[in-house]
Amino acid sequence: METNEILAKKILTEAKGYLDSGFTYSLNPYSGCAFACKYCYVREMPIQRFKGTPWGEWLDIKTNAAENYQNEIIKLRKKNKPVNIFMSSATDPYQPIERTANITRMLLEEMVENPPDFLQIQTRSPLVTRDLDLFAKLKEKCEVLVSMTVETDREDIKQLFAPYSPGIQLRIKALKELHDAGIHTQASISPVLPFTPDFPKILDGLADHIWIDTLSIGDGSMGKRSERLGMPDLFEEKGLSKWYRKDLHLMVEKYFSTYFHRERIRVSQKEVFPKLKQTFR
Ligand code: SF4
């Protein structure tokens, strides 16, 4: 892994595309990602296409992330701007190196002092539970949602599509720990990968929200990036083509609605920003 410490010019990026429906900023404490999921749409974005080093083999650590955040939120507050943050859209905020680098932890510490209005943590790493103490403090000051990606409940499928990412059982255990600690949680089935019939039952009682997204509509280009990444071919080669249909999100929503009230299920393209106030209060 080619790892560099960098000083970022800014840390809050104005929300665009699918996030621009309630989120106002994305926040990426790192550039690059050690998890290197095969389906990752960032592989097809300029940050990677012109990089020269393969995705998953480089990581920039934004060492001044917390300092930037402090400066930027103070300015935004003066302008009375809503600060609804999605962390993160082009990396995972809990990279393996976060254990020692503490970039995300320092950001959260700063957020406790200068809270946003809303924070969604998006990760697939059980390391997120390390920061339970900070989520507990932060939720007293703003809305916090910890969203754990669980694309499937099958470890064999996870190994096929994302062999370097944390195991599914570890993610489910982390989700339970967060939920038991009173943190609002979301299970992000994104992208939907083949799962067992028990999947909704496994998540029942662990996740306040379910988020459903698929490779053919959730890659920011209506499936074109996923196609360029060879996803339809990989599904076909493994005999999984029935899981690569354009209406998969609707079928999965229907299936999950037998366990989860529809109010608690959010589906790609319909609603990205969670309605925490309506669903929890
Ligand atoms: S964890 Fe997220 S950012 Fe990292 S490779 Fe996987 S999909 Fe991409």
Side-chain angles (χ1 to χ4, degrees):
M1 171 72 81
E2 194 181 293
T3 305
N4 289 303
E5 292 191 352
I6 63 160
L7 293 175
K9 283 194 191 123
K10 282 190 76 194
I11 200 68
L12 293 173
T13 306
E14 272 187 46
K16 282 188 242 136
Y18 71 99
L19 290 178
D20 186 16
S21 62
F23 288 102
T24 51
Y25 295 93
S26 62
L27 195 167
N28 291 286
Y30 298 91
S31 290
C33 185
F35 295 147
C37 309
K38 288 184 188 168
Y39 53 73
C40 179
Y41 63 77
V42 186
R43 291 172 178 271
E44 283 296 311
M45 291 170 74
I47 191 174
Q48 176 56 40
R49 288 184 73 182
F50 304 112
K51 184 73 184 173
T53 307
W55 185 242
E57 294 182 21
W58 63 275
L59 188 75
D60 289 345
I61 305 171
K62 300 179 184 175
T63 54
N64 60 342
E67 191 186 324
N68 277 354
Y69 173 80
Q70 184 192 51
N71 294 336
E72 290 168 39
I73 193 149
I74 288 172
K75 281 187 196 146
L76 290 169
R77 286 300 181 217
K78 280 186 188 150
K79 291 182 191 160
N80 243 345
K81 295 236 179 162
V83 184
N84 299 322
I85 298 175
F86 187 90
M87 179 165 91
S88 299
S89 57
T91 186
D92 191 304
Y94 288 94
Q95 293 293 310
I97 207 166
E98 169 62 21
R99 274 181 208 285
T100 50
N102 287 313
I103 305 298
T104 296
R105 185 161 176 91
M106 286 190 283
L107 271 163
L108 292 170
E109 282 168 348
E110 189 49 51
M111 286 183 193
V112 171
E113 298 305 316
N114 289 294
D117 298 301
F118 177 86
L119 173 67
Q120 177 168 328
I121 307 274
Q122 185 64 51
T123 184
R124 65 199 66 212
S125 171
L127 181 58
V128 66
T129 58
R130 176 198 66 182
D131 293 337
L132 259 171
D133 59 329
L134 295 175
F135 299 140
K137 286 183 192 166
L138 200 51
K139 83 185 177 81
E140 299 304 319
K141 303 188 174 189
C142 70
E143 305 279 3
V144 181
L145 178 70
V146 179
S147 179
M148 176 67 76
T149 302
V150 268
E151 319 94 302
T152 173
D153 59 340
R154 288 177 55 181
E155 297 285 355
D156 61 326
I157 292 288
K158 195 281 301 181
Q159 278 307 105
L160 183 59
F161 289 90
Y164 305 112
S165 69
I168 297 295
Q169 291 312 314
L170 293 173
R171 300 188 210 174
I172 290 173
K173 191 166 165 271
L175 200 54
K176 180 172 176 6
E177 201 180 324
L178 291 156
H179 191 263
D180 288 353
I183 308 299
H184 290 153
T185 53
Q186 173 170 274
S188 178
I189 309 171
S190 171
V192 173
L193 297 180
F195 56 77
T196 76
D198 284 341
F199 197 18
K201 222 188 301 175
I202 291 167
L203 296 177
D204 195 13
L206 310 183
D208 300 302
H209 289 282
I210 297 290
W211 164 246
I212 296 166
D213 205 355
T214 66
L215 287 168
S216 54
I217 56 172
D219 65 347
S221 64
M222 291 309 288
K224 290 198 177 61
R225 285 181 183 142
S226 297
E227 277 169 28
R228 287 200 293 269
L229 292 171
M231 288 301 109
D233 295 345
L234 183 57
F235 273 68
E236 197 176 338
E237 187 190 308
K238 300 294 173 187
L240 302 168
S241 291
K242 68 173 186 181
W243 289 91
Y244 205 97
R245 24 187 308 174
K246 294 252 183 259
D247 61 350
L248 184 65
H249 57 300
L250 301 176
M251 295 178 71
V252 177
E253 180 189 22
K254 195 169 169 207
Y255 188 60
F256 268 74
S257 67
T258 56
Y259 288 86
F260 291 85
H261 192 281
R262 294 238 182 207
E263 279 280 296
R264 294 167 61 199
I265 303 176
R266 297 187 293 130
V267 183
S268 185
Q269 291 190 313
K270 282 193 196 165
E271 186 191 18
V272 175
F273 190 70
K275 289 179 182 158
L276 281 182
K277 287 192 172 66
Q278 290 92 321
T279 48
F280 290 103
R281 305 240 159 125

